[in-house]
Amino acid sequence: QISDPEACDQMYESLARIHTNFYKNKYPRLKDTTFTGVTVEDCRTILATDILKQMEDMKKGTWKRLREKFSAKKPEEDLK
């Protein structure tokens, strides 16, 4: 037995509206963005591993990048 059938019906209707995306359809968003204003595609681009590597390289200083570039041996030199 349910102690308050009216409250139970209200909760059921509320959950049914959430499940069927009632409010999403009633109040459509103008743009599909996050709270920061970034779109989903931008988030995927930022989180891609290649972009993260590029950002790490950008954070390095000029001298550190040059040192890494010239200190690393090239595979062709090892074969000679």
Side-chain angles (χ1 to χ4, degrees):
Q1 286 285 336
I2 298 172
S3 60
D4 191 4
E6 194 172 308
C8 182
D9 289 342
Q10 286 177 346
M11 277 196 241
Y12 177 79
E13 290 297 323
S14 177
L15 290 172
R17 284 192 299 270
I18 291 171
H19 177 70
T20 60
N21 289 328
F22 176 80
Y23 294 107
K24 180 182 177 186
N25 297 329
K26 186 174 181 181
Y27 304 105
R29 297 175 72 174
L30 299 177
K31 295 181 180 178
D32 192 22
T33 59
T34 61
F35 70 98
T36 58
V38 180
T39 62
V40 176
E41 291 80 22
D42 292 340
C43 287
R44 287 186 184 137
T45 303
I46 291 169
L47 295 176
T49 56
D50 295 338
I51 300 298
L52 290 175
K53 288 177 185 175
Q54 288 177 2
M55 290 176 69
E56 288 296 321
D57 288 341
M58 287 172 48
K59 287 181 185 177
K60 294 179 184 177
T62 305
W63 292 112
K64 190 172 184 177
R65 272 187 270 149
L66 286 172
R67 193 175 340 127
E68 287 177 358
K69 183 176 179 182
F70 290 112
S71 68
K73 286 187 175 181
K74 295 181 181 177
E76 298 88 24
E77 293 176 359
D78 291 339
L79 294 175
K80 291 182 180 180

